[in-house]
Amino acid sequence: MSLTLTAEEIAHHYYAAGHSVNLINELVAVESLTEEEVDRVDRNVRHLEIMVAKDYWTTEDLAPLNSAIIAGKAKIA
């Protein structure tokens, strides 16, 4: 089922996804992660995977989201 969102709602989702990107990037920079940090990376990677699969995106640059997914998965592999 396709969602129809306003431009404001889409911007809000993109902004919120940016928080996951930032968190993942911060934790990727840490040399050694605790079990809790690994879990946080995993949860945020899964969140971004869900978000990039949405069909309501218009001109938003999803590259940072995809990069964070790749970096996060590599960090906790």
Side-chain angles (χ1 to χ4, degrees), residues 7-71:
E8 184 177 295
E9 290 169 324
I10 293 170
H12 175 74
H13 285 296
Y14 187 75
Y15 178 77
H19 289 292
S20 288
V21 169
N22 292 338
L23 181 126
I24 290 167
N25 289 338
E26 287 173 12
L27 291 174
V28 163
V30 173
E31 188 167 330
S32 179
L33 299 179
T34 66
E35 190 174 316
E36 180 182 332
E37 290 169 329
V38 168
D39 187 51
R40 288 175 70 194
V41 171
D42 182 56
R43 283 193 317 268
N44 281 274
V45 164
R46 286 185 280 126
H47 172 249
L48 289 180
E49 288 176 324
I50 291 167
M51 295 310 293
V52 298
K54 299 294 183 182
D55 64 358
Y56 50 69
W57 301 117
T58 57
T59 60
E60 294 76 22
D61 181 8
L62 300 182
L65 283 65
N66 287 312
S67 293
I69 290 168
I70 292 167

